[in-house]
Amino acid sequence: MAKVATIELARISAWGVVQGVGFRPFVYRLATKYELKGWVCNTSEDVKIEVQGESKDLQHFLKELQENVPPQARIEGISVTYHPPTDYKAFEIGHSIAQEGKYQLVSPDIATCQDCRREVFDAADRRYHYPFTNCTNCGPRFTIIQDIPYDRPMTTMRSFKMCSECQAEYDDPLNRRFHAQPNACPKCGPQLELLDARGEHISSSDPIAAARLLLQDGRIVALKGLGGFLLTCNATDNGAVRALRQRKKRPFKPFAVMVADIAEARKNCHVSEQEEKLLLSPQSPIVLLRWQSESRVCQSVAPNLKYLGVMLPYTPLHHTLIEEAGAPLVMTSGNLSEEPIAKDNDEALRRLYGIADYFLVHNRDIYARYDDSVAMVERDSVQITRRARGYAPYPIHLSFQAKQVLACGAEQKTTFCLTRDNYAFISQHIGDLENLETMEHFENTLALYRELFRIRPEAVAYDLHLEYLSTKYALGLAGRFKLVPVQHHYAHIASCMADNGVETPVIGVSFDGTGYGSDDHIWGGEFLVADYNGFKRVGHLEYLPLPGGEAAIKKPYRIALGYLLKLLGEDSLKAGLPFLKQTDLVEIDLVKRQVQTGLNSPLTSSMGRLFDAVSALINVRGEIDYEGQAAVELEMAAYDGSEAGNSSYPYSIAEWDDVSVVHLQELFSAILKDMLQGVSKANISARFHNTVAKMVCEVCQEVSRSTGIKQVALSGGVFQNRLLLRNVIALLESAGFSVLTHRQVPCNDGGISLGQAVVANFAII
Ligand SMILES: [Zn+2]
Ligand SMILES: [Zn+2]
Ligand SMILES: [Zn+2]
């Protein structure tokens, strides 16, 4: 007797990034392949599938469903239940179902895929040179979405009605553009327009070609990209780069460049296999690469630096603009100093007036501002220093079930973080919360995230610094939410733990420029024993004066002077130190008074400030244009200090009440001695880096002896210093520690909100 095949019906729910990434057509193709009947549809929380067929076919279907997902889809979870069969005649794609209170993950914007790129450069294709070409595997997502489910009417593409050809692609489940919400072509989609500095239309049949000529001619063009305007100019034209610096009032801050392809990247920088992979990834971030001396990119693009931020074209607009121009292009945020990146045409014309000579704009609105992400590969792992395009709003996975919490971040490089379920939704990089425009960006982005992920926080976490706008924002919510203050350096360490999914206690090394301490002093060179329930400060750099407070941060020579006076006394100033020769005597007297009286001279244990002080002291950098410049240039100097070998400077550690305080008098006097003996800046700097690494290891060993903890978490902006990071990890590992570093969120203040959110979650249990 022939065996009768069993017909079964499976109800499937798949969640994760499963919408706007070609998931339903993939399901459709799979169902067709196995001759299954039923349907698939999007809801506000998942993709629901009902399939009916022979059980062996169902099993194949389920296996492939999980193993062969489209490139941009990510299944976070799947559930399957079996039911008696019903009378399905075919397999269909159903309409989206919106559900109150439900949410799903939203895909970040994705760099142009190979298929779209091929079409854009195929003269016979109807999308030849069309800058808004995309498909379900690539293109804008987060920047155009206003709400979920992710359907065209919920995006800024709603104002473009598809032509019949585009509509046919959109409706065909077997087409790469099936339900690609931003689908468009030259006939029906967004269009480019070239404008002059005053916003007057410049007539041109090919605005990209016209812009390319302008760039070749040394002009500065503001380019509307995915998440806002970028200022661009020819990176091999020193005059153009200098003009851009002058107009942006940024003499030193490094600019990133976009190069046509990997071959061009290799002509300018050293590119490892890992770095190549990162450059070519769908996230397509700016990657900090080791710059070659024979590079044709002008030094003025990143003055005094040995690393260059490089990215590849990530939209068809960039591909078309650069592939035929050839030369690397500077691409820097379209803003004046620290305002958020301009996103609307009118806003750009107003705010970038006087900076850009021309504007290449288009009529597809940007809903969410979205900067380029910045990443580096260190010790074979990717570290993100600015997390935005390509990464946000994809969440970080938590090791526990979270409550609904909002964490407001700090001040510089701010992000906020919202938690629910086992997710931490960290916003894209918002910027320095120092002005109202950035605060508005913060509030608008927060409203969008709360809406997209349906989060109604029960607690709000914030930094102890009362002057931060993020703190003021949180305090303004008092009475409506439970407020949880979280100390800055503890938040850094908790962030690093969460980034690594670690809940057991760690020795946290939290090094940055400035953070408000629990004792009202400015912390920044901290050793903590911490877990999510709390922390104990077990070590720090000794307190030293910051003459003039905040003002000293922009003038590291003042810090050097203050530290010298405090540690070695006035006699040390008589040694004829080069950095003092440029300093005004009145200012020296002022600093002396501030150090003596303590007036307007707060105390700090900051490691960032120690780097600043040493940088100024040995005459590497006394005044800065961008945050961290003195320390960054000190690091650059150290790369040339090979004679220093493994040698280090002396320092001492004093124990007081179970707290190890690192004293720096011997360090400063040894550096002075080296200077007077004519040791090069490079070798002093290298030796200084060795010293800090040794110091970290020694304090950690001390703490480990009394606590038994063998796990060290490194966090804080100072660990963007790659040389220090490498040295510290090497020493700690050889001393038997396991070392946690950041992977998914920045070690700088861009990662603080994650730590705050995690701590708040444990505080409100
Ligand atoms: Zn594509
Ligand atoms: Zn069309
Ligand atoms: Zn910090």
Side-chain angles (χ1 to χ4, degrees):
M1 210 167 75
K3 200 175 164 199
V4 180
T6 356
I7 301 289
E8 278 186 302
L9 183 147
R11 268 186 206 140
I12 302 162
S13 158
W15 60 97
V17 178
V18 286
Q19 297 188 16
V21 288
F23 194 75
R24 285 174 306 161
F26 156 70
V27 172
Y28 179 92
R29 282 193 297 274
L30 218 53
T32 314
K33 177 175 167 185
Y34 292 108
E35 297 178 355
L36 304 175
K37 312 278 185 275
W39 51 261
V40 55
C41 83
N42 283 342
T43 78
S44 299
E45 61 175 341
D46 62 357
V47 168
K48 289 205 189 322
I49 307 167
E50 277 202 24
V51 275
Q52 171 173 319
E54 285 190 28
S55 47
K56 72 167 184 347
D57 291 331
L58 276 181
Q59 291 319 311
H60 287 307
F61 172 87
L62 278 168
K63 187 162 181 283
E64 271 203 58
L65 183 71
Q66 291 165 84
E67 287 175 0
N68 296 339
V69 290
Q72 301 316 326
R74 291 206 215 184
I75 296 187
E76 295 265 313
I78 193 160
S79 76
V80 186
T81 53
Y82 292 93
H83 305 269
T86 166
D87 59 348
Y88 289 126
K89 301 276 183 294
F91 192 86
E92 284 167 359
I93 295 182
H95 288 294
S96 302
I97 303 169
Q99 300 155 287
E100 196 64 33
K102 303 287 187 182
Y103 76 105
Q104 53 162 295
L105 305 186
V106 172
S107 168
D109 289 22
I110 303 158
T112 309
C113 75
Q114 286 305 319
D115 291 329
C116 287
R117 193 174 162 275
R118 209 172 301 120
E119 290 169 347
V120 168
F121 286 103
D122 176 359
D125 194 276
R126 71 189 190 93
R127 290 192 173 84
Y128 179 58
H129 279 186
Y130 182 57
F132 304 96
T133 302
N134 65 80
C135 72
T136 46
N137 297 324
C138 74
R141 295 286 186 280
F142 173 64
T143 52
I144 57 168
I145 187 173
Q146 286 168 297
D147 203 352
I148 50 169
Y150 174 64
D151 283 329
R152 194 159 169 125
M154 298 290 201
T155 72
T156 61
M157 281 300 290
R158 80 172 79 80
S159 51
F160 300 95
K161 190 175 160 23
M162 275 183 275
C163 68
S164 56
E165 280 168 289
C166 287
Q167 188 69 50
E169 294 167 339
Y170 185 92
D171 291 335
D172 176 5
L174 297 177
N175 193 289
R176 202 172 92 243
R177 297 200 163 88
F178 175 76
H179 282 226
Q181 306 308 343
N183 189 27
C185 78
K187 241 194 268 173
C188 65
Q191 298 295 334
L192 285 176
E193 187 184 8
L194 187 64
L195 307 174
D196 70 11
R198 298 182 178 281
E200 297 294 327
H201 173 83
I202 296 177
S203 134
S204 159
S205 60
D206 187 347
I208 300 185
R212 193 184 304 132
L213 284 177
L214 290 167
L215 290 168
Q216 278 164 6
D217 199 31
R219 304 310 177 92
I220 296 165
V221 179
L223 192 70
K224 187 174 182 180
L226 276 178
F229 277 79
L230 293 177
L231 287 161
T232 178
C233 72
N234 183 343
T236 64
D237 180 340
N238 202 29
V241 179
R242 282 174 180 280
L244 179 55
R245 290 206 168 281
Q246 252 166 23
R247 295 185 203 171
K248 268 197 99 173
K249 301 191 175 66
R250 278 294 186 194
F252 291 103
K253 193 173 185 180
F255 293 149
V257 297
M258 183 177 278
V259 298
D261 49 29
I262 287 289
E264 181 65 37
R266 286 196 192 287
K267 281 185 204 153
N268 295 282
C269 297
H270 299 274
V271 186
S272 71
E273 217 174 286
Q274 285 257 16
E275 288 165 337
E276 174 173 336
K277 223 172 108 191
L278 186 58
L279 285 165
L280 288 167
S281 68
Q283 291 81 15
S284 189
I286 295 170
V287 182
L288 297 169
L289 300 173
R290 207 145 51 81
W291 202 354
Q292 288 182 15
S293 47
E294 56 272 27
S295 163
R296 61 174 171 152
V297 172
C298 306
Q299 283 298 312
S300 53
V301 168
N304 306 331
L305 301 185
K306 293 182 191 299
Y307 289 95
L308 182 65
V310 176
M311 64 180 149
L312 296 182
Y314 54 86
T315 72
L317 172 56
H318 297 130
H319 278 290
T320 324
L321 183 69
I322 205 166
E323 291 222 356
E324 289 163 29
L329 296 175
V330 164
M331 292 270 173
T332 185
S333 310
N335 57 8
L336 186 63
S337 59
E338 298 308 334
E339 290 170 359
I341 183 169
K343 77 175 174 67
D344 300 325
N345 296 352
D346 293 351
E347 181 193 17
L349 283 167
R350 187 170 28 94
R351 282 175 39 197
L352 304 180
Y353 181 76
I355 302 180
D357 298 312
Y358 295 91
F359 292 80
L360 189 58
V361 304
H362 59 72
N363 54 350
R364 183 178 72 200
D365 287 340
I366 296 169
Y367 194 66
R369 285 177 219 273
Y370 209 38
D371 291 85
D372 292 316
S373 294
V374 183
M376 62 182 185
V377 178
E378 195 51 54
R379 288 174 56 104
D380 284 339
S381 73
V382 175
Q383 301 208 4
I384 305 227
T385 52
R386 183 164 75 194
R387 187 178 183 274
R389 179 177 53 75
Y391 297 95
Y394 197 71
I396 307 297
H397 291 78
L398 297 171
S399 57
F400 56 91
Q401 278 294 314
K403 298 190 183 308
Q404 298 201 2
V405 163
L406 162 66
C408 298
E411 179 177 64
Q412 288 181 324
K413 305 177 173 68
T414 301
T415 59
F416 60 77
C417 176
L418 288 160
T419 57
R420 73 172 291 178
D421 303 322
N422 63 333
Y423 296 130
F425 296 94
I426 299 171
S427 71
Q428 73 269 32
H429 166 84
I430 305 271
D432 295 350
L433 278 190
E434 288 169 347
N435 50 52
L436 291 177
E437 289 83 357
T438 317
M439 196 59 218
E440 205 179 289
H441 178 22
F442 176 95
E443 291 184 38
N444 291 341
T445 310
L446 178 57
L448 176 65
Y449 272 66
R450 285 188 54 182
E451 187 59 36
L452 285 178
F453 305 115
R454 313 291 196 242
I455 295 178
R456 305 280 168 270
E458 53 180 286
V460 176
Y462 62 97
D463 194 276
L464 297 179
H465 200 307
L466 293 174
E467 290 306 313
Y468 285 177
L469 288 180
S470 58
T471 303
K472 290 182 176 169
Y473 177 82
L475 295 176
L477 303 172
R480 292 159 57 198
F481 304 95
K482 188 174 163 44
L483 295 185
V484 184
V486 184
Q487 199 279 327
H488 188 98
H489 301 92
Y490 175 37
H492 271 305
I493 297 305
S495 167
C496 184
M497 292 172 68
D499 200 347
N500 288 280
V502 165
E503 289 189 35
T504 47
V506 299
I507 300 170
V509 182
S510 198
F511 285 177
D512 65 1
T514 303
Y516 202 86
S518 316
D519 60 357
D520 296 343
H521 292 314
I522 302 171
W523 292 11
E526 312 306 312
F527 295 86
L528 315 174
V529 166
D531 62 16
Y532 294 155
N533 292 306
F535 77 99
K536 183 173 182 295
R537 190 190 197 199
V538 291
H540 58 89
L541 291 186
E542 70 171 299
Y543 281 124
L544 289 167
L546 200 54
E550 290 282 308
I553 296 171
K554 294 221 162 76
K555 296 179 172 178
Y557 67 84
R558 280 187 172 219
I559 308 173
L561 190 52
Y563 282 23
L564 270 186
L565 285 166
K566 190 76 193 175
L567 293 169
L568 302 176
E570 268 193 51
D571 281 355
S572 64
L573 306 190
K574 294 177 187 149
L577 294 166
F579 90 97
L580 285 176
K581 288 186 183 145
Q582 300 131 27
T583 313
D584 179 273
L585 283 176
V586 179
E587 199 173 4
I588 295 181
D589 274 341
L590 175 74
V591 171
K592 272 188 204 165
R593 265 204 313 281
Q594 285 172 329
V595 172
Q596 276 161 7
T597 59
L599 271 181
N600 193 19
S601 191
L603 292 178
T604 183
S605 58
S606 162
M607 182 56 85
R609 297 292 92 86
L610 176 60
F611 271 80
D612 287 349
V614 172
S615 182
L617 176 65
I618 68 171
N619 221 13
V620 167
R621 173 66 48 193
E623 275 189 83
I624 60 165
D625 164 40
Y626 59 90
E627 195 232 336
Q629 185 183 359
V632 168
E633 291 187 9
L634 189 68
E635 177 195 349
M636 297 303 134
Y639 289 114
D640 297 323
S642 53
E643 283 163 38
N646 290 326
S647 66
S648 59
Y649 289 115
Y651 55 88
S652 57
I653 299 177
E655 279 257 358
W656 179 258
D657 241 1
D658 283 340
V659 178
S660 303
V661 179
V662 182
H663 288 269
L664 303 169
Q665 188 187 41
E666 293 142 292
L667 168 72
F668 272 74
S669 91
I671 292 179
L672 277 195
K673 203 166 136 209
D674 264 3
M675 286 174 75
L676 296 176
Q677 287 178 351
V679 177
S680 71
K681 294 175 192 180
N683 287 319
I684 296 178
S685 177
R687 194 171 286 172
F688 171 70
H689 277 76
N690 293 341
T691 310
V692 175
K694 192 168 158 230
M695 192 185 284
V696 170
C697 193
E698 208 177 312
V699 176
C700 287
Q701 282 174 310
E702 191 75 43
V703 176
S704 181
R705 267 193 290 275
S706 55
T707 58
I709 302 173
K710 295 298 279 178
Q711 185 166 243
V712 177
L714 306 177
S715 191
V718 167
F719 286 108
Q720 288 171 104
N721 181 324
R722 302 168 80 153
L723 179 64
L724 180 71
L725 183 69
R726 251 174 255 161
N727 288 353
V728 167
I729 295 175
L731 282 186
L732 285 173
E733 285 183 348
S734 65
F737 288 102
S738 70
V739 183
L740 307 175
T741 56
H742 281 275
R743 301 177 304 131
Q744 311 166 81
V745 300
C747 66
N748 59 45
D749 285 3
I752 282 266
S753 62
L754 173 62
Q756 291 174 338
V758 170
V759 171
N761 259 284
F762 278 71
I764 58 171
I765 291 171

